[in-house]
Amino acid sequence: MLANIEVMGKMEKSLEAPYYDAQQKKVRVVVTGLGIVSPLGSDITQFWSRLCAGESGVAPATSFDTSSFASSLVAEVCDFDQVNTLGAKLSRRTDRVTQFGLLAALRAWSDSGFDVALGTTDDIGVCAGTSIGGLGTAFRTHDLVREGNLRRISPFTMSATFANALSGEISIALGVTGPSESISNGCSSTASAMVRAAELIRNGECRAVVVVGAEAPLHPTIFAAMEAGGMLAPDDGGRIRDLPRPFDARRCGIVMGEGAGSVILEDYSYAAQRGARIYGELVGSGASCDAYSMFKPREDGMLARLAIEKAIQTAGWNAHQVDYINACGLGTTDLDRVETHAIKMALGQDAGRIPISSVKGALGHAFAASGIFQIITSLLSIRDGIIPPTLHLSESDPECDLSYVRKMHQTPHLQRILVNSFGFGGKNVVLALAQVDR
């Protein structure tokens, strides 16, 4: 506690100090490919169309029995056939989370038009984010042990359970031999993977990095743990369907989701040389830790504010230049209020004019995958000048009083976006994405 007080006393002064020289020349990092596996579809066009139309991927769970829980709604990926998509052999040796991530990566790779034949592969890396990795495989194996069915235990159990499998299998599938890393930083894992990938490109280790965020947490054990922690939104046996409710006065918890997404990051000079389509540029980032609780955010929002300010400063922006905030918007009483307060502190008088939305009303909370959903959504917003709606936001909360987008919003001036990713344990990561100025 004394350490926290001392640090907070110093932090007020440090907020005014520049974290980055905006005039410093640096390698530009751009996005050239997108891929997704989501509750709203596993095709970018379908996903974007349904999200902007205000459709929801939330429905009663079909993968396990929820009759003993107060919550029954989840956001499942329902159109996923791993055997037909990835093959029987690969499906047998991998967990669902790796299957999601691998498919998203393959689609992003194809979308980027990248051809490894044009150069070596040891300067192409993989950075993957996941909170729980293949924990579902571990749970299913535990059931077999308890039942005495030891002969049914897969020889691939250990490798399938490791979070490391996500990046490893993607490197194997693409045949890329550069750095291959899995990052587990709670719900902020994918945002952290983006930061790490950009670092690999800027320091010259890689010309391109495949970034993936994936999660497959829809298992009764995880569901029970989340409900025991009071995190899930009760839905009266599925009869209440307008959940979750980010920033709404009636918000009451999260709805768990699953899925994956992938983006291809490249050195701008290389992408331009090969004539790649560019969706946007990662121009800045900021990170902090509340160092307060594994389950609740700091009430004062100071560390979330710090992450936002760092992202703006490293991007070389000022508050007036921010066009849109893709919010964490979890749908919990505490976090939505604290996020609102942090935005106000970081952006001052500009906070009220900036449109803000959360995709979790449509996609649920898929832990690390939520981060990549936000990143992909933001890049598509830059491309099309469209901000998707915040589903189920109908009743205003005096403590969440910013410009939340309730219906799809079109704007011709969508050039600079902040992506807020705030995770369990107070892990705050904010990305600054921008339209590419050629």
Side-chain angles (χ1 to χ4, degrees):
M1 180 62 74
L2 290 176
N4 281 341
I5 293 172
E6 183 179 353
V7 169
M8 290 303 295
K10 294 178 180 178
M11 193 177 70
E12 284 290 350
K13 297 179 182 179
S14 69
L15 289 174
E16 300 301 324
Y19 289 93
Y20 173 78
D21 181 4
Q23 303 304 316
Q24 178 185 345
K25 291 184 179 180
K26 61 179 180 179
V27 174
R28 297 175 66 185
V29 178
V30 297
V31 179
T32 59
L34 308 178
I36 201 161
V37 177
S38 85
L40 288 180
S42 298
D43 170 83
I44 286 289
T45 300
Q46 179 191 40
F47 164 81
W48 185 232
S49 175
R50 294 183 67 187
L51 184 67
C52 291
E55 292 187 39
S56 173
V58 174
T62 62
S63 56
F64 61 95
D65 181 15
T66 60
S67 59
S68 59
F69 299 110
S71 304
S72 65
L73 297 178
V74 296
E76 290 176 311
V77 175
C78 297
D79 60 350
F80 186 69
D81 185 340
Q82 67 271 24
V83 174
N84 285 334
T85 304
L86 301 173
K89 184 177 180 180
L90 182 56
S91 298
R92 281 195 301 270
R93 76 166 190 251
T94 54
D95 185 85
R96 186 172 172 88
V97 66
T98 299
Q99 294 163 9
F100 283 162
L102 183 53
L103 180 57
L106 291 171
R107 289 180 172 171
W109 186 259
S110 175
D111 184 51
S112 73
F114 210 102
D115 185 358
V116 294
L118 297 177
T120 61
T121 65
D122 60 359
D123 58 358
I124 303 173
V126 176
C127 286
T130 181
S131 294
I132 64 172
L135 199 55
T137 292
F139 287 142
R140 287 187 290 275
T141 303
H142 179 257
D143 290 341
L144 292 175
V145 172
R146 291 190 62 185
E147 295 165 2
N149 291 323
L150 301 185
R151 291 189 175 185
R152 292 185 56 196
I153 295 175
S154 168
F156 304 111
T157 297
M158 286 306 300
S159 60
T161 301
F162 289 153
N164 171 57
L166 182 56
S167 56
E169 290 286 3
I170 292 168
S171 293
I172 292 168
L174 296 177
V176 296
T177 57
S180 182
E181 304 174 4
S182 289
I183 295 173
S184 184
N185 196 27
C187 310
S188 302
S189 298
T190 306
S192 295
M194 286 283 285
V195 175
R196 174 58 178 154
E199 180 182 70
L200 289 171
I201 293 172
R202 288 182 178 134
N203 69 18
E205 280 193 72
C206 294
R207 58 181 160 132
V209 179
V210 182
V211 178
V212 177
E215 215 74 81
L218 299 183
H219 185 280
T221 302
I222 300 173
F223 205 74
M226 293 291 287
E227 184 166 281
M231 300 177 198
L232 300 183
D235 54 45
D236 192 23
R239 284 180 282 275
I240 301 173
R241 298 297 291 271
D242 60 334
L243 293 170
R245 300 165 177 158
F247 302 111
D248 190 278
R250 303 162 300 140
R251 63 189 184 278
C252 55
I254 72 171
V255 170
M256 287 177 61
E258 65 176 358
S262 177
V263 299
I264 308 300
L265 295 190
E266 285 188 57
D267 180 328
Y268 172 74
S269 61
Y270 180 78
Q273 179 184 357
R274 71 182 187 86
R277 172 181 51 193
I278 297 176
Y279 289 96
E281 181 175 0
L282 176 60
V283 294
S285 63
S288 67
C289 180
D290 287 355
Y292 173 70
S293 167
M294 285 301 299
F295 305 102
K296 293 183 178 181
R298 287 187 70 107
E299 286 293 330
D300 60 14
M302 287 295 292
L303 278 304
R305 165 197 177 183
L306 182 62
I308 295 170
E309 290 184 336
K310 283 183 178 181
I312 293 172
Q313 290 173 3
T314 56
W317 302 346
N318 58 52
H320 186 66
Q321 292 176 296
V322 178
D323 297 319
Y324 164 48
I325 298 174
N326 195 313
C328 184
L330 199 57
T332 64
T333 302
D334 293 340
L335 193 139
D336 290 7
R337 181 184 66 250
V338 169
E339 183 173 15
T340 298
H341 186 49
I343 291 170
K344 288 180 179 179
M345 289 190 292
L347 293 160
Q349 62 183 7
D350 286 291
R353 66 154 186 89
I354 300 171
I356 301 169
S357 72
S358 169
V359 299
K360 290 186 177 68
L363 299 167
H365 183 37
F367 301 168
S370 288
I372 197 68
F373 291 161
Q374 289 178 258
I375 291 163
I376 290 173
T377 297
S378 297
L379 292 164
L380 294 172
S381 290
I382 290 172
R383 184 191 71 179
D384 296 342
I386 294 175
I387 298 174
T390 304
L391 245 58
H392 311 138
L393 173 54
S394 59
E395 189 172 325
S396 298
D397 182 346
E399 293 186 293
C400 296
D401 56 352
L402 295 176
S403 300
Y404 305 108
V405 177
R406 302 188 184 205
K407 295 182 179 180
M408 186 186 75
H409 177 66
Q410 290 186 291
T411 173
H413 305 294
L414 201 55
Q415 298 178 335
R416 301 176 186 88
I417 296 176
L418 291 177
V419 180
N420 290 347
S421 188
F422 302 148
F424 290 132
K427 306 296 183 67
N428 309 306
V429 183
V430 179
L431 305 178
L433 299 175
Q435 186 179 65
V436 170
D437 180 6
R438 295 176 183 268

